[in-house]
Amino acid sequence: QSCHRPAGQRASPEPGSGGLPEGVEYIPTRKKGKNPMKPVGVAWYSLYARTRLGYLFYQRQVKKARERYPHGHSVPQPYCFPGVKILPIPVLSNNYSYLVIDTGSGQAAVIDPSDPLAVQAAIEEEGVMLEAIFCTHKHWDHSGGNEALCQKHSSCRVYGSALDAIPQLTNPLADREKVSVGCLTFEALATPGHTVGHMVYVLDGGPFGSPPCLFSGDLLFLAGCGEPFEGSPETMLASLDLAVGLGEDTLLWPGHEYALECLTFASLLELDNSALEQKLQWAVQQRQDKRSTCPSTLGEEQTYNPFLRTHRPELQEALGLWQDREEDPDAFRARVLKEVRRRKDLYQAT
């Protein structure tokens, strides 16, 4: 596979400015790849996250996705910098795992190995040694492949938060703890909200002359963010702020391919956002061709992702929200975030 070598700070291809190809009509649809965590109530979430029924449901997901998408749900584009290669692996109906390779030593880490067969096939194709699994959180669609891969790779360690019941966890991580795999250095950041122990992982790009790389799991998607199943709007806002603080040039590698759905929803909130309009046009073309939409950059996300724009007056006005005279600014932003989340959930449910 050839690698995409990004030039400058912009991570993803420029959104097309010419709209859709001639003769192509875009009809938005809310029926994307099934995510078991969307039409979720408290009882279903407890069953999925805390019982064997969740694992059985995950196994059914894997089986159906392998039948429907024998070559993956998207065509990924590997990213290469001197000394490192990042290979997105499309798994299940809309998840991404990521194989991150130190090309000098041949050592590799994988983030969120949902389908062990797909991940193992990538490992064998690349001819690398799997040394680490980094799990962002406990949900089966992010951790279900841990056991099978550990059986295959005896030296592989599983990293994640001790606050989440991550399968096969061998090395619990504390907030801001760093782990080296060959010449690669990953920093774990605690980002609770989606789950109480959710973590994201930041690859230090400095030694390779690249921007930092954020593997965000279900904290942050292109134009979206994860459901706060185990946290308040205030908790989720603090986690999102932490991610944004990594810098505008940081490459965002999300846990799901939700770009088209999220951008379409965002376009209903901000009707006059030109950056959003251009990104949506670009994403439509990408998905028509079954191409992956990742990565984006955190700087780009702040121009169109409503979950990162809670401070923007234009979004607040669109939602019909105004800050009370005595209200703390962050408390108001959390209220804005809660309203965006409420509307997104209604949009998904219709």
Side-chain angles (χ1 to χ4, degrees):
Q1 291 177 302
S2 62
C3 283
H4 179 73
R5 298 180 181 273
Q9 294 184 342
R10 202 163 180 87
S12 54
E14 289 289 337
S17 58
L20 298 179
E22 184 176 355
V24 175
E25 180 183 7
Y26 169 55
I27 303 174
T29 174
R30 298 175 179 89
K31 293 184 178 180
K32 302 300 168 190
K34 291 182 180 179
N35 174 2
M37 309 314 297
K38 285 184 178 178
V40 74
V42 174
W44 168 236
Y45 178 75
S46 295
L47 289 172
Y48 181 84
R50 299 185 177 96
T51 74
R52 182 164 176 79
L53 286 176
Y55 180 68
L56 295 176
F57 186 87
Y58 152 76
Q59 288 185 311
R60 181 171 175 267
Q61 274 189 293
V62 172
K63 182 176 183 294
K64 291 179 67 176
R66 287 173 180 169
E67 293 171 352
R68 183 177 180 184
Y69 306 110
H71 303 294
H73 58 73
S74 301
V75 179
Q77 180 66 58
Y79 266 57
C80 293
F81 304 97
V84 62
K85 180 177 183 179
I86 299 173
L87 178 63
I89 306 171
V91 290
L92 303 186
S93 60
N94 53 41
N95 283 70
Y96 285 112
S97 301
Y98 295 97
L99 188 65
V100 186
I101 303 168
D102 170 14
T103 57
S105 68
Q107 294 177 289
V110 66
I111 291 89
D112 288 353
S114 306
D115 183 344
L117 289 186
V119 172
Q120 181 60 30
I123 291 169
E124 292 178 2
E125 182 175 349
E126 297 294 329
V128 296
M129 300 170 288
L130 184 65
E131 300 293 338
I133 293 172
F134 292 103
C135 253
T136 59
H137 62 293
K138 63 191 174 187
H139 292 157
W140 291 111
D141 62 323
H142 293 258
S143 64
N146 290 3
E147 182 176 3
L149 288 171
C150 285
Q151 291 175 352
K152 189 80 172 178
H153 304 272
S154 58
S155 65
C156 181
R157 314 298 290 173
V158 179
Y159 298 87
S161 171
L163 298 177
D164 264 18
I166 292 175
Q168 309 302 120
L169 182 67
T170 60
N171 292 61
L173 293 175
D175 183 33
R176 299 191 180 276
E177 189 170 350
K178 295 183 179 181
V179 178
S180 294
V181 177
C183 293
L184 310 174
T185 300
F186 295 87
E187 183 177 14
L189 299 177
T191 52
H194 185 67
T195 67
V196 69
H198 193 286
M199 282 187 148
V200 299
Y201 299 97
V202 182
L203 173 66
D204 181 7
F208 313 105
S210 77
C213 292
L214 169 62
F215 299 94
S216 62
D218 280 2
L219 171 67
L220 186 62
F221 311 129
L222 194 152
C225 84
E227 289 271 7
F229 290 123
E230 300 181 11
S232 65
E234 290 79 9
T235 299
M236 183 62 86
L237 179 64
S239 293
L240 292 170
D241 283 349
L242 178 67
V244 169
L246 295 172
E248 292 189 354
D249 66 336
T250 300
L251 301 184
L252 173 65
W253 301 92
H256 289 271
E257 180 56 72
Y258 289 159
L260 194 52
E261 175 187 326
C262 290
L263 286 163
T264 303
F265 165 73
S267 70
L268 302 177
L269 297 180
E270 293 194 67
L271 302 179
D272 298 320
N273 186 326
S274 60
L276 173 56
E277 182 181 355
Q278 288 186 347
K279 190 68 176 182
L280 176 56
Q281 291 174 352
W282 172 81
V284 167
Q285 189 62 62
Q286 289 290 105
R287 298 312 298 152
Q288 283 178 341
D289 298 335
K290 300 299 182 185
R291 293 197 300 266
S292 170
T293 59
C294 60
S296 63
T297 68
L298 292 182
E300 194 179 2
E301 289 297 309
Q302 291 174 73
T303 67
Y304 53 66
N305 188 328
F307 296 95
L308 301 184
R309 293 172 58 79
T310 54
H311 62 293
R312 300 292 299 186
E314 54 266 45
L315 178 61
Q316 297 165 4
E317 183 178 350
L319 297 172
L321 296 177
W322 290 268
Q323 185 176 355
D324 296 335
R325 181 173 299 179
E326 303 297 327
E327 189 173 18
D328 178 81
D330 284 342
F332 175 55
R333 291 179 58 222
R335 189 154 60 91
V336 174
L337 183 69
K338 182 179 180 179
E339 178 62 14
V340 175
R341 181 75 264 169
R342 186 188 72 84
R343 295 193 184 200
K344 180 65 162 64
D345 292 343
L346 288 174
Y347 172 80
Q348 291 174 172
T350 56

